[in-house]
Amino acid sequence: PGTTIVPVIISNNKTQVTMFRNKSAYPVYLTIGSIPKEIHQKPSHHTHILLAYLPTTHLRNITNKASRCHTITNLYHACMSRVLAPLNAACHSGAG
């Protein structure tokens, strides 16, 4: 009673970012899941907002491939946890 559930979609993709001296980064976007796809798929409707840019790294100093992959995965999840912390807090408190 008195609550609304809003589906949230978080997306990212690796891209070249020329404003950072042509470095690559992972922009993280947020959109609402209940937006009709006819509107959602058109960039001109501005249905996505940029939340953050995640860093990219190769961690070449870690020579073991499995360890490097594991570390990169952990770094990605730590960054996403930090970016999404305000959304997570709002979900638990029920307030915006």
Side-chain angles (χ1 to χ4, degrees), residues 9 25 32 39 44 49-50 56 68 72-74 79 88-90 92:
I9 299 171
I32 305 299
I39 295 170
S44 62
I49 61 168
L50 177 66
T56 59
R68 185 173 49 245
I72 289 172
T73 299
N74 286 343
C79 290
N88 192 22
H92 289 290

Side-chain angles (χ1 to χ4, degrees), residues 29-74:
Y29 299 101
L30 178 138
T31 189
I32 305 299
S34 57
I35 298 173
K37 70 177 180 180
E38 297 79 22
I39 295 170
H40 182 268
Q41 293 175 346
K42 293 183 180 176
S44 62
H45 284 105
H46 306 289
T47 58
H48 293 77
I49 61 168
L50 177 66
L51 291 181
Y53 286 106
L54 300 185
T56 59
T57 181
H58 297 289
L59 297 177
R60 290 191 173 99
N61 59 322
I62 301 175
T63 55
N64 182 289
K65 186 177 179 179
S67 294
R68 185 173 49 245
C69 289
H70 186 68
T71 303
I72 289 172
T73 299
N74 286 343

